[in-house]
Amino acid sequence: FFREMYEGCFYVGDIFESYALLIFGQVITEVIATKIQRSEVDGEALPRSNPELLTAVDLMDEVKELTTFGIKFFCWTCGLQALFQLICAGAGYYRIWEEIFGLEDPNGKHVGVVHTSSFQTKSVYFFSGAGFVSSFAAIGNIVKVETAFHRQLREFGPFWKFWGTKILVSIAYMQSTALYTVPPFSSWSGIRLKLLYGSVLCLECFLVSLLHLHAWSHDEHWYLSLSRSVGTDEEVGTETLTDDSDDAEDSKGCEQSNREVAHSE
């Protein structure tokens, strides 16, 4: 039980890591959106004259979805792996469906199906393979955005931010896979591998935190441009509502004047 909960703690940590990566991708797309030159036709003329044409706002929304698609795949993989591990360990501990989730007793008997060595090996390979592929998809999305919008992200300072993100994603699955396949670590016992992995992970997270401290300074200029963009969008929405209310009041005034003229006649 304690060995499985040890694994579950790392899997839950991967959920927070993947969610942080998703937020990072959304921040990048928001920064890129501030660099788009918008005109009056973006909001009004094009959709009404030709619905098949895309505005800059619509195109940016699609780019945002495509950018975060691989990252969302990575989030779902981490979430399913953590959920599977916690359900197996929790159900075994509370003796729920012992024929399926039962933990071995001191005599090594009455082991549930999901806790047998063959099933555990298959599940580890399945989730490791899925995580390996999804982590590559997440990193590929980040690298593609970095190379395609390098000029627009110059003020954002993407180099160290991207490197901090790539290291975190590689820690999640690539490092654990390498420890189980690369000699001499592949010949070590499970307890020894877990001790090495946990120790190295603590050191790496400390170094990555120092890297983030340098990369995410509190006085960067792009914070102001992003806040101005949000404020501009809110002002545009307020102006649109004001114009609509003014048009409604004008139409009501015209109807009332027409009724007075008709009544006088």
Side-chain angles (χ1 to χ4, degrees):
F1 171 76
F2 292 107
R3 289 197 299 268
E4 293 192 4
M5 289 305 298
Y6 166 87
E7 297 286 348
C9 291
F10 283 106
Y11 296 152
V12 172
D14 291 339
I15 294 178
F16 289 98
E17 177 185 328
S18 61
Y19 182 71
L21 180 62
L22 178 62
I23 297 300
F24 180 66
Q26 293 177 351
V27 169
I28 293 173
T29 54
E30 292 295 335
V31 172
I32 296 174
T34 60
K35 306 298 181 180
I36 296 179
Q37 294 181 355
R38 301 185 181 184
S39 60
E40 295 179 356
V41 297
D42 287 339
E44 297 292 337
L46 286 180
R48 294 182 180 179
S49 61
N50 191 351
E52 296 181 357
L53 296 178
L54 287 175
T55 65
V57 178
D58 296 333
L59 184 60
M60 195 61 220
D61 291 339
E62 295 299 327
V63 171
K64 184 177 181 179
E65 290 296 326
L66 293 175
T67 301
T68 58
F69 178 77
I71 305 176
K72 291 178 181 178
F73 181 40
F74 181 55
C75 292
W76 276 106
T77 303
C78 294
L80 290 176
Q81 185 177 16
L83 182 63
F84 172 78
Q85 187 69 24
L86 293 176
I87 288 177
C88 291
Y93 180 79
Y94 290 104
R95 300 182 180 277
I96 301 174
W97 290 349
E98 293 191 20
E99 64 275 6
I100 299 177
F101 300 105
L103 296 171
E104 62 181 6
D105 55 17
N107 298 323
K109 300 180 180 179
H110 304 96
V111 181
V113 176
V114 298
H115 294 291
T116 58
S117 58
S118 60
F119 190 91
Q120 287 287 320
T121 302
K122 292 178 182 178
S123 63
V124 167
Y125 281 130
F126 173 77
F127 284 112
S128 296
F132 193 77
V133 173
S134 61
S135 63
F136 262 104
I139 292 177
N141 281 20
I142 296 296
V143 171
K144 184 62 178 178
V145 172
E146 178 186 6
T147 55
F149 299 99
H150 180 73
R151 184 175 301 177
Q152 288 78 12
L153 293 172
R154 185 178 302 170
E155 184 183 8
F156 181 68
F159 181 78
W160 292 113
K161 294 180 177 66
F162 278 111
W163 265 108
T165 305
K166 295 170 188 175
I167 293 174
L168 284 176
V169 174
S170 64
I171 288 175
Y173 285 97
M174 298 180 187
Q175 184 170 270
S176 59
T177 304
L179 288 178
Y180 283 97
T181 55
V182 176
F185 309 111
S186 58
S187 60
W188 288 9
S189 63
I191 300 297
R192 194 176 181 185
L193 279 175
K194 288 180 173 61
L195 181 61
L196 175 64
Y197 179 72
S199 301
V200 172
L201 188 63
C202 291
L203 177 60
E204 290 173 342
C205 288
F206 172 70
L207 296 177
V208 171
S209 65
L210 296 179
L211 177 60
H212 283 301
L213 183 64
H214 169 72
W216 297 89
S217 179
H218 69 282
D219 56 352
E220 295 186 1
H221 296 289
W222 65 271
Y223 293 145
L224 298 176
S225 62
L226 188 61
S227 61
R228 289 170 184 169
S229 175
V230 174
T232 302
D233 293 339
E234 292 178 353
E235 291 177 359
V236 170
T238 304
E239 291 177 358
T240 303
L241 293 176
T242 304
D243 294 339
D244 293 339
S245 61
D246 292 340
D247 294 339
E249 291 178 357
D250 293 339
S251 61
K252 289 181 181 180
C254 293
E255 292 178 358
Q256 185 176 1
S257 61
N258 291 333
R259 289 176 183 174
E260 293 177 354
V261 171
H263 181 72
S264 61
E265 290 177 354

